[in-house]
Amino acid sequence: MSMTSFTLGPAPFSTRTFVRRPGVGKVGTPVKVLANHYALSLIDNITVFHYDVVVTPEPTKSLARKVWAEWETQHGAKLGITAAYDGVKNVFVPKQLPQDTMTFTVALPATAEGKRAKEFKMTLKLASSINLSELSSFLDKRTSLSNNVLTSIMALDVVFRQTPLQRMLPAGRSFFDPKSRPFDLGGGLNLLSGLFMSVRPGVGTMTLNTDTAYTAFYKPIRMVDFARELLGRAFPPASQELSPRDLVRLEKMVRLLVVTATHRGALNPRFRVLKLTRTSANNTKFTLSPNAPPPEPEGIEHEEGTVPAKGSAKGAGKGGAKGGAPAKGAAGAGAGAAAAPPQSAGGKKGAKGAGAAAGGGVGAAAAGIARMTVGGKPREVTVLAYMSETYQIKLQFPNLPCLVVGTPQRQTYLPMELAIIDDGQKYRGKLTEDQTSNVIKVAAKKPLERMAQLKQLIATTANMGGDPYLKAFGVKVWPDLMAIQGRFLSTPKLQIGGNKTTVPRDGAWNFTNARVTQGARISAVGVVSFADPRYLPEDRVEEKMDELFDMCESMGLAFNPNKKTKTQYPIRTARAGRGGFGPEAIKAAMDEIYRETEATFGQRPDLIVVILPRKETPLYAEVKRVGDIELGCPTQCLVQAKIDRANGQYWANVVLKINVKVLGTGAAAPNTTNFALAQSKYFGTDSVMLIGADVSHPAPGAGHASLASMVASMDPKCAGRYSAEVRAQPSRQEEIADVRGMFAALLRRYHTANNKTFPKKIVFYRDGVSEGQFDIVLKGELEGIRSVLKKAGAYDQTRITFVTVQKRHHTRFFATNPSDNDRSGNLKAGLVVDTGVTHPTDFDFFLQSQAGLQGTSRPTRYVVLHDENIWTADDLQLFTYHLCYTYARCTRSVSVAPPAYYAHLVSFRSRHHLLSTETGSDTASVSTSRSGEKDSPAAELAKVHANLTASMYYM
């Protein structure tokens, strides 16, 4: 099949079709729900004309919007045409232009900020024409997905974006009102609320998916105030500079920000931050030349790069030493940002109070420099002295570094106190734990509140009724949220210990006085505390361990009575190093408790319990790294504050984790399980292997590899235990690079654990794949699995189903009848929807398998890309839902099928196994091996100890 792809905003789609829907499900209790989608009404006989657009000189993305706005005013109105522009190279119009190819001259007027008037040539060339009747035929299942259908969907998506773009801040598919009241996130960031919009095909109709959106933006404040908020403390005394750690942290946050210099009067030039100097303003020097002409203001567009101004200074020398060091020996290294106009108001050079930065790169000194030169010779000056002598400004913070601004070819020093962060700049990094907590407090709204906020946003933001673009394209939006038919699936019966069963209620069950299905036998355990012994002495630790171990026994785990494991275990308090608990001190403490436990019980430890003084990521990460990689021993971390107030439910949750981590000894090892489905026709005569896979990518700005993880169930009749494999691969690559090696290792373990047999069925739950990546991921990973099965001689007997798991979508469901809600106000667990807002032809469904806890529950979307097991809709939906009750570490149904959930946990844990050098907890990692040499992605990840291959150590 031929396949063409398009990019619709941030998400690409393709014409490839996958497994067709085998009919809608019928099992369960019918329920009517509302979806946050609006149905669209289209006029079939409208033809949309698609034009390619080329603008010269090529503008940045945000400047292109301004050029287009001027085209609409100068030319579109004269032609009587309402057109929709995607901001890149596509224009859609409902009326054909007079000629197939037309070129227009578009003039951008001069601005008050000093930008000169500019002219652009815009050429529109007819690419295709599509009648919307083709789209209607696809929605009604009369035709298949085609290039014309994709272009129609793309056109509608672009049309809906036109009006919001004219007055709101875009961020992906969301729009934010810059005038709305922000929420202070701390650390120099604000949280803005906005509206998400995306046009999507539904069953029989196009829909507009809308949702509330929240995104962090930089505060439009002085750079020195931003630094104060970020670092969370007052600046050091004037005699003291920022610490290297603070400097790196600040540089990471401000790099590529656009700032306005406040020293140039009405000109207010804007610059992009490249980096920070490594020295303060009173120690940063540059060579000042008397012959360099003044520079022009630089054109800057948010987030899209710098547009150099015309007529930049000629004859200027180079400077700006690498790494932000002071530029020395530059022939003409004057101040690009520092340059004041040759004559300021009143005819005086360098008017008092105008303030300026000192230059450090290809740039030129401006008026006012002459008074600093002696005999016309270049001389070396500090930024501090330059500011004082040229602009009569005494810097208040001479101990702070300077911003290095401009372009890589034309760099300039700008004191931090003379820069203001421009408004409307989205923060693209990772939020801190406190900031994330603040976001949740603001964004986690109950369903009724969220629905009311959404309707308010639609009314005030989208202007659906009076939008001229929608009217021109013949699009009408139905005023009410779509009513969808859903079903509540039945709750499964669970097998627990003692040959007992339990039936969960409202997505949860009580494990009081209950036992796990198969408990571990623990023969060697040790305890190490990193807490201050003044507040948690060893006798108190022993008391808490008695509570834990009593709960272990009551839930069906056993301790070796011959070795007196429960009472004779060693307890040690870790000794901090000079700087606290650094890596060496942590490893020493872990090594010591490992050796003592081994000596006490005459065998390697089955478990090490670790008490942490607080929830502290670096300490936790190093404990897990040592346990997982070096010692090969499962570890269970406990936080002091939590065990101080621990109750039975807390200890029970800890025991659930321990039971699947510990391999133990005896007949039960390594088949310990917590609970399983009591009755399931899907674990019947044919053996089943469930696989989960995920690829986690580094945070923006981090330099390490992406991490691909894969887990597989080892018990073919209940899928209670999973073995894991993980690999590092090139950063941001979504397709699993070593799918063959990972699956081969898991298949070998399954084969060994199951009397040298292979599974008859494989159900592969693949997490984290966007729609545009479906084809490439399926093609590469399915072929990898098949090749391993062929090599093992199991290809003919094993049938594969490949299902993607999507959580990053914006579809939500709301009850039409309050009786369908649980106590949180969300729809009850077990809701499945496979009509209305699902794909018109492909096999997908939404499953809300979890009970509500906070805010509005998000359903998970499952899309079947390949199916050799010929699942019916009812069977796959019910099987997936029932699996969600088997997640091993809690007594609740979870929101994602456990194989995918476990794969995510493996990826998350593996971040602590990266062989990278951190320059600070808040800085990007430098992907180097411990020997210091840059290596391949695979060498960036330490291998989990062989002793843990059968352990669910990642729990």
Side-chain angles (χ1 to χ4, degrees):
M1 171 186 289
S2 63
M3 185 182 68
T4 304
S5 63
F6 291 87
T7 298
L8 309 184
F13 293 76
S14 75
T15 57
R16 167 72 184 270
T17 57
F18 300 97
V19 179
R20 289 188 68 86
R21 189 182 307 281
V24 297
K26 296 180 175 58
V27 170
T29 304
V31 59
K32 182 171 286 188
V33 298
L34 298 177
N36 59 341
H37 289 241
Y38 291 87
L40 305 183
S41 175
L42 309 178
I43 300 177
D44 284 353
N45 60 3
I46 281 188
T47 297
V48 174
F49 297 91
H50 176 202
Y51 289 86
D52 287 333
V53 59
V54 176
V55 181
T56 53
E58 184 177 356
T60 62
K61 189 173 182 180
S62 53
L63 186 60
R65 285 284 177 194
K66 297 177 182 178
V67 175
W68 177 253
E70 288 298 329
W71 181 91
E72 288 186 297
T73 300
Q74 298 171 18
H75 302 286
K78 293 179 181 178
L79 293 171
I81 288 176
T82 300
Y85 174 49
D86 74 344
V88 186
K89 60 170 297 182
N90 298 291
V91 169
F92 300 95
V93 294
K95 175 183 175 182
Q96 191 169 7
L97 296 179
Q99 300 173 29
D100 288 351
T101 301
M102 297 187 71
T103 299
F104 305 88
T105 299
V106 181
L108 281 186
T111 66
E113 290 80 16
K115 291 185 183 179
R116 294 180 174 180
K118 293 182 182 180
E119 282 192 354
F120 295 87
K121 297 292 184 183
M122 179 179 287
T123 300
L124 301 180
K125 183 178 181 180
L126 183 64
S128 63
S129 60
I130 308 102
N131 193 288
L132 292 186
S133 61
E134 294 185 56
L135 176 59
S136 297
S137 295
F138 166 69
L139 299 173
D140 293 334
K141 307 177 187 177
R142 289 180 279 124
T143 59
S144 59
L145 190 62
S146 65
N147 293 340
N148 282 350
V149 171
L150 279 177
T151 305
S152 300
I153 298 172
M154 178 182 182
L156 291 173
D157 198 69
V158 172
V159 167
F160 271 93
R161 295 175 62 84
Q162 299 306 298
T163 295
L165 277 170
Q166 294 174 0
R167 57 188 183 88
M168 302 186 75
L169 298 173
R173 290 177 178 267
S174 299
F175 301 92
F176 299 88
D177 186 350
K179 297 179 182 179
S180 63
R181 182 180 177 182
F183 177 84
D184 189 350
L185 284 179
L189 301 179
N190 279 333
L191 185 71
L192 292 184
S193 62
L195 175 67
F196 168 89
M197 292 196 306
S198 176
V199 173
R200 299 192 58 82
V203 179
T205 183
M206 290 299 297
T207 75
L208 179 68
N209 181 200
T210 60
D211 196 13
T212 55
Y214 294 89
T215 293
F217 286 83
Y218 286 89
K219 290 183 179 179
I221 56 178
R222 292 195 312 157
M223 185 61 76
V224 289
D225 295 328
F226 176 84
R228 276 198 191 99
E229 289 197 22
L230 174 69
L231 301 178
R233 57 184 178 275
F235 291 139
S239 60
Q240 188 179 358
E241 298 184 359
L242 289 182
S243 68
R245 180 187 180 90
D246 283 346
L247 193 147
V248 169
R249 184 181 177 194
L250 178 60
E251 181 178 68
K252 179 185 176 183
M253 287 291 292
V254 304
R255 184 175 174 271
L256 299 182
L257 275 182
V258 175
V259 298
T260 296
T262 61
H263 59 283
R264 298 289 298 275
L267 190 61
N268 290 332
R270 300 163 65 230
F271 297 90
R272 189 173 299 280
V273 179
L274 303 177
K275 55 189 174 184
L276 298 181
T277 59
R278 290 307 186 258
T279 51
S280 58
N282 57 356
N283 288 316
T284 299
K285 299 179 180 180
F286 67 98
T287 301
L288 182 65
S289 170
N291 302 318
E296 302 239 0
E298 296 180 83
I300 301 287
E301 299 299 332
H302 280 180
E303 305 177 358
E304 303 301 333
T306 303
V307 182
K310 295 180 181 178
S312 57
K314 297 180 180 179
K318 294 183 179 180
K322 184 177 181 181
K328 296 185 178 181
Q343 295 289 333
S344 61
K348 295 182 180 180
K349 295 181 180 180
K352 186 176 182 180
V362 180
I369 291 178
R371 77 171 85 180
M372 293 185 62
T373 61
V374 179
K377 294 181 180 180
R379 69 167 181 151
E380 191 174 70
V381 296
T382 65
V383 173
L384 177 67
Y386 177 78
M387 297 304 306
S388 176
E389 295 181 37
T390 305
Y391 298 101
Q392 295 81 52
I393 289 181
K394 182 178 180 180
L395 295 181
Q396 297 179 8
F397 303 98
N399 57 320
L400 292 181
C402 294
L403 304 175
V404 181
V405 300
T407 68
Q409 297 77 28
R410 189 168 183 267
Q411 298 180 6
T412 299
Y413 296 147
L414 177 64
M416 285 175 54
E417 62 194 80
L418 301 180
I420 293 179
I421 298 172
D422 276 22
D423 199 3
Q425 298 186 79
K426 179 183 175 182
Y427 175 62
R428 300 183 181 277
K430 184 178 180 180
L431 297 176
T432 66
E433 288 187 9
D434 287 343
Q435 289 171 333
T436 301
S437 177
N438 287 334
V439 171
I440 293 173
K441 290 176 184 176
V442 176
K445 291 181 169 56
K446 290 185 178 295
L448 288 178
E449 187 179 356
R450 188 186 190 115
M451 186 163 56
Q453 181 185 3
L454 179 58
K455 291 179 178 179
Q456 176 71 16
L457 283 168
I458 291 292
T460 59
T461 302
N463 187 28
M464 300 298 187
D467 191 315
Y469 295 93
L470 298 183
K471 184 176 180 181
F473 283 82
V475 180
K476 292 183 179 180
V477 182
W478 288 92
D480 298 319
L481 295 176
M482 291 180 64
I484 306 294
Q485 188 67 45
R487 289 168 288 121
F488 285 125
L489 300 180
S490 62
T491 302
K493 183 183 293 186
L494 297 180
Q495 180 74 50
I496 57 177
N499 291 321
K500 294 182 179 179
T501 61
T502 184
V503 178
R505 182 178 179 182
D506 293 332
W509 62 99
N510 191 336
F511 216 63
T512 303
N513 300 322
R515 299 166 68 88
V516 296
T517 305
Q518 183 67 61
R521 180 181 172 89
I522 301 174
S523 294
V525 61
V527 180
V528 59
S529 173
F530 288 88
D532 190 326
R534 292 174 298 175
Y535 306 112
L536 190 67
E538 286 192 7
D539 58 347
R540 177 68 170 165
V541 173
E542 185 175 1
E543 179 184 328
K544 289 298 172 181
M545 290 305 98
D546 287 344
E547 293 178 16
L548 172 60
F549 295 158
D550 286 346
M551 181 61 72
C552 285
E553 285 189 325
S554 71
M555 290 177 61
L557 282 71
F559 293 91
N560 192 325
N562 298 326
K563 295 186 176 184
K564 300 180 180 179
T565 307
K566 187 182 175 186
T567 57
Q568 301 300 316
Y569 57 88
I571 300 176
R572 289 293 172 262
T573 299
R575 295 180 294 275
R578 284 176 126 190
F581 286 113
E584 292 183 1
I586 297 170
K587 185 177 185 308
M590 294 294 290
D591 285 344
E592 181 183 9
I593 192 62
Y594 185 94
R595 289 193 301 268
E596 187 164 355
T597 304
E598 189 174 39
T600 300
F601 297 108
Q603 66 168 80
R604 64 173 180 81
D606 294 320
L607 175 70
I608 294 177
V609 178
V610 182
I611 300 176
L612 307 179
R614 66 193 66 85
K615 190 176 181 181
E616 185 178 333
T617 300
L619 176 56
Y620 173 86
E622 185 62 13
V623 165
K624 291 300 182 182
R625 188 196 67 79
V626 173
D628 297 345
I629 305 300
E630 299 194 19
L631 301 180
C633 177
T635 54
Q636 180 58 54
C637 291
L638 306 172
V639 177
Q640 179 183 346
K642 290 190 175 181
I643 65 174
D644 280 341
R645 59 176 186 270
N647 56 20
Q649 185 61 54
Y650 173 82
W651 290 125
N653 287 338
V654 173
V655 173
L656 292 177
K657 295 180 182 181
I658 290 174
N659 192 48
V660 292
K661 289 180 184 180
V662 173
L663 297 179
T665 54
N671 295 318
T672 54
T673 53
N674 290 341
F675 21 75
L677 297 176
Q679 297 174 340
S680 175
K681 68 177 182 180
Y682 315 111
F683 292 112
T685 56
D686 288 339
S687 56
V688 178
M689 173 190 271
L690 301 182
I691 299 177
D694 186 26
V695 177
S696 66
H697 302 294
H704 64 71
S706 291
L707 299 174
S709 58
M710 186 182 296
V711 301
S713 61
M714 295 290 109
D715 38 359
K717 300 301 181 184
C718 71
R721 291 194 62 86
Y722 291 76
S723 185
E725 286 289 313
V726 63
R727 303 284 190 275
Q729 61 184 44
S731 184
R732 319 308 299 183
Q733 177 178 316
E734 183 57 45
E735 181 188 356
I736 297 176
D738 188 28
V739 65
R740 288 174 173 81
M742 297 169 75
F743 177 64
L746 295 171
L747 188 65
R748 282 195 297 271
R749 289 175 207 157
Y750 181 98
H751 188 253
T752 300
N754 291 281
N755 298 319
K756 308 299 183 183
T757 61
F758 292 108
K760 301 293 185 183
K761 296 179 180 179
I762 291 177
V763 182
F764 193 111
Y765 288 97
R766 178 62 158 90
D767 195 12
V769 184
S770 66
E771 290 175 316
Q773 299 168 319
F774 281 177
D775 187 62
I776 187 171
V777 167
L778 175 65
K779 189 179 299 181
E781 297 177 11
L782 180 62
E783 179 56 37
I785 292 171
R786 283 174 164 171
S787 67
V788 172
L789 290 172
K790 286 178 182 177
K791 190 173 181 179
Y795 179 74
D796 292 334
Q797 71 185 53
T798 305
R799 301 183 300 277
I800 305 168
T801 298
F802 195 107
V803 183
T804 62
V805 180
Q806 291 188 308
K807 288 288 287 183
R808 292 185 178 181
H809 61 80
H810 285 266
T811 294
R812 302 290 185 274
F813 298 112
F814 308 95
T816 58
N817 188 334
S819 65
D820 295 324
N821 287 332
D822 59 21
R823 288 178 295 179
S824 72
N826 285 281
L827 285 155
K828 296 174 183 176
L831 174 72
V832 65
V833 173
D834 59 1
T835 61
V837 295
T838 52
H839 194 277
T841 59
D842 289 353
F843 188 5
D844 70 335
F845 57 92
F846 291 95
L847 176 62
Q848 193 165 302
S849 50
Q850 77 280 19
L853 289 175
Q854 186 178 24
T856 302
S857 296
R858 179 189 349 223
T860 297
R861 183 185 179 218
Y862 297 89
V863 185
V864 183
L865 302 187
H866 180 81
D867 184 25
E868 297 170 4
N869 289 297
I870 319 298
W871 289 89
T872 66
D874 281 327
D875 283 350
L876 185 58
Q877 291 164 9
L878 205 59
F879 175 71
T880 302
Y881 174 50
H882 287 183
L883 274 183
C884 294
Y885 284 83
T886 65
Y887 181 65
R889 68 179 191 180
C890 67
T891 55
R892 305 181 66 89
S893 62
V894 290
S895 61
V896 174
Y901 207 143
Y902 293 145
H904 174 75
L905 292 181
V906 173
S907 290
F908 189 82
R909 171 66 69 83
S910 298
R911 295 186 309 170
H912 304 321
H913 302 163
L914 285 167
L915 302 178
S916 59
T917 312
E918 297 287 342
T919 54
S921 62
D922 297 300
T923 63
S925 64
V926 180
S927 297
T928 58
S929 64
R930 292 190 183 271
S931 63
E933 297 181 357
K934 182 82 175 174
D935 227 325
S936 64
E940 293 180 34
L941 185 67
K943 189 174 181 61
V944 173
H945 199 287
N947 288 348
L948 297 181
T949 55
S951 166
M952 294 177 73
Y953 65 90
Y954 44 87
M955 300 293 281

